[in-house]
Amino acid sequence: MASFKKMHADSIADREAFWSREARRIDWHKTPERVLDYDRPPFARWFAGGTTNLCHNAVDRWLTWNGGALADKPALIYISTETDTERTYTFRELHAEVNRVAAMLADLGVGRGDRVLIYMPMIAEAAFAMLACARLGAIHSVVFGGFASHSLAQRIEDATPKVVVSADAGSRAGKVVPYKGLLDEALNLSGHKPARVLMFNRGLAPMPLAAGRDVDWQSLANRHFGAVLPCVWLESGEPSYILYTSGTTGRPKGVQRDTGGYAVALAASMQHIYCGQPGEVYFSTSDIGWVVGHSYIVYGPLLAGMATVFYEGTPVRPDAGILWQIVERHKVAVMFSAPTAIRVLKKQDPAYLAKHDLSSLKALWLAGEPLDEPTARWISDALGRPVVDNYWQTETGWPILTYPMGVEALPRKFGSPGYPMYGYDVRLLHETTGEEVAVGEKGVVAVVPPLPPGCMSTVWGDDERFVKTYFDSIPGKQVYSTFDWGIRDADGCHFILGRTDDVINVAGHRLGTREIEESISSHAAIAEVAVVGVADQLKGQVPVGFAVVRDPGVIASTPARLALEGEVMKTVDSQLGAIARPARVHFVTMLPKTRSGKVLRRSLQAICEGRDPGDLTTIEDPGALAQVKEAVAAK
Ligand code: AMP
């Protein structure tokens, strides 16, 4: 392990020397003056004074690289099994498309520092829009297409975009999901009104245009054919994007990413972690609405001169071999997915896997949620390729823990995402004393600042919230908390044991239980509610609600109870999106609380999972728990 061990130690002992070497992986318009400006802890400004552009490094640069060797090679391979579409864009074609969209956005008034909210399905135009924003120095904020009007409105209000880019509809498992109605409702709800809404018509759902505000993509595109706009050189610390993520409050946080640090961190990770080389193919099954989609569908692969597969579809349509068929057909070298997708495939006929030639694949990387040992073993045996767990968060933008396959083939342990990556000074700390815990003891996974390049620079518009949320939770120390529990074994391998807060992880997606509670409470019949994450074989966790109704009369009969449960689920669907819909909503006349009024969430969760509810000495009324047990047992 000598070589990676040394690399990691060097990266912490002399951060500036380490990252100044890594910074050479990207093109700078102006060389940074300081590798790290850490004059105002915990805010780290990487490559201060340097100027660069993400779109230049992801697209333009490859037109001339190595005598133009990549210019006419694939850059973006768009595959939709929802609409049976496939189209490959070379770097030259991608350059043209991105320039055209940049010209369209500029026409709508978008310039440096302006926000553009992108609410789009997995269509190539979404990637063009992201890269076009980067080209113009505008800040994109992509909102996952599965989110509904309330979630969208919150993000519009916080990011205050000048322009929203959207489409008529998404499609999931063959079912059209119309976007325009949800978007219009969100725009009604939001106090902030964008000047323009750019709408791409896929011809899947009605898309009525609001006069004076909405603009049809194609009509505008026709006016900008052949446009070429220069890249706007941004100072390294200028924001590239905002990506919202859920926390313990009902209000999502806008994770703000810089430009230069992010480009360097991703370029370095493509080499050291994902083993990607120019000209090879990268396939990540995520969605641009999530951080993986930002780092490892759009920016990371392109920054490495790789072609990225941009996939709209599920792992099981038209059949459970589709992902492997893509790997075979496009000779995918690097594949990135989530444990849930693999658990879905595990239930299908293994013949689908055996049927395809997967010899191009270097390894399969999995992230976003705990990778359980049986799933890891199954896919590892079935693939005959390394399966590499990697642990990170929206906030960090790239892995905190993994096995650095591009540096050294370290022994991998099932169930463990491995070792702290270069640049991360990871410690496991006792939750109340703040002291480091011993080997084999559980502690909060924390990172001693400064955080390495690529990690969030602040919470959009709220520096104080950034410090308070992330650096104030461990007593006596200003360290970054991941809000995950972890444990380290004698070999230095880490294991993640779950969240320390009320955030849950459904199929690799982070959801705040508070947001779901607020949505359920907005239903007129509900007086009070608690939502907890309950273990699920397929999705890792699912939300389950316990609600107190205002008038017990409304749930007097079983059909009435089921009808209200359905209505509550619909409320969540329409406000937050189906992704946040509770698997069950149980009705009770009171919630189990401590004498000081705190809901005993851990006990609720334990009962749902058939475990012992734990220490109940502080409970206000034990009758509340009896009701919960009864409700859960009744199914
Ligand atoms: P998100 O920001 O939505 O990507 O969610 C990040 C959270 O997902 C982390 O804080 C962890 O709780 C969980 N997570 C991500 N990757 C892993 C992993 N490889 N193993 C265990 N948990 C993970």
Side-chain angles (χ1 to χ4, degrees), residues 245 290-291 366-371 389-395 417 482-484 496 498-499 505 508-510:
T245 188
W290 309 113
V291 68
L366 298 172
E369 56 183 313
L371 173 60
D389 192 355
N390 51 135
Y391 159 82
W392 47 296
Q393 314 180 295
T394 305
E395 286 85 347
T482 60
F483 298 100
D484 281 307
I496 300 296
R499 297 282 302 191
N505 194 316
H509 306 317
R510 192 203 296 197

Side-chain angles (χ1 to χ4, degrees), residues 18-173:
F18 181 86
W19 288 107
S20 72
R21 280 193 301 273
E22 296 297 332
R24 291 185 209 131
R25 295 182 185 280
I26 67 157
D27 281 356
W28 293 90
H29 183 64
K30 182 167 167 277
T31 311
E33 286 155 22
R34 287 173 80 180
V35 176
L36 171 63
D37 167 358
Y38 197 49
D39 296 347
R40 196 166 67 102
F43 297 89
R45 283 186 57 216
W46 287 97
F47 311 113
T51 64
T52 186
N53 181 286
L54 272 173
C55 182
H56 166 84
N57 278 287
V59 184
D60 298 46
R61 178 185 181 199
W62 303 109
L63 297 184
T64 51
W65 181 80
N66 202 9
L70 280 186
D72 298 306
K73 293 275 168 12
L76 192 142
I77 302 167
Y78 178 64
I79 302 171
S80 172
T81 49
E82 298 289 334
T83 57
D84 271 331
T85 317
E86 180 156 340
R87 178 162 174 199
T88 295
Y89 299 83
T90 63
F91 276 99
R92 202 187 301 283
E93 287 164 340
L94 180 62
H95 182 259
E97 296 287 351
V98 169
N99 268 287
R100 176 139 63 138
V101 180
M104 290 157 63
L105 291 173
D107 194 345
L108 298 178
V110 173
R112 182 179 195 153
D114 289 334
R115 271 82 56 213
V116 174
L117 188 133
I118 300 174
Y119 179 58
M120 289 182 104
M122 286 294 285
I123 52 176
E125 286 71 16
F128 304 158
M130 290 168 75
L131 291 161
C133 285
R135 188 167 198 89
L136 295 171
I139 304 165
H140 60 67
S141 186
V142 181
V143 177
F144 175 57
F147 282 133
S149 51
H150 177 78
S151 307
L152 185 53
Q154 272 186 324
R155 287 154 174 81
I156 293 173
E157 210 152 68
D158 195 75
T160 61
K162 196 173 225 178
V163 168
V164 171
V165 187
S166 189
D168 57 336
S171 180
R172 175 105 190 133

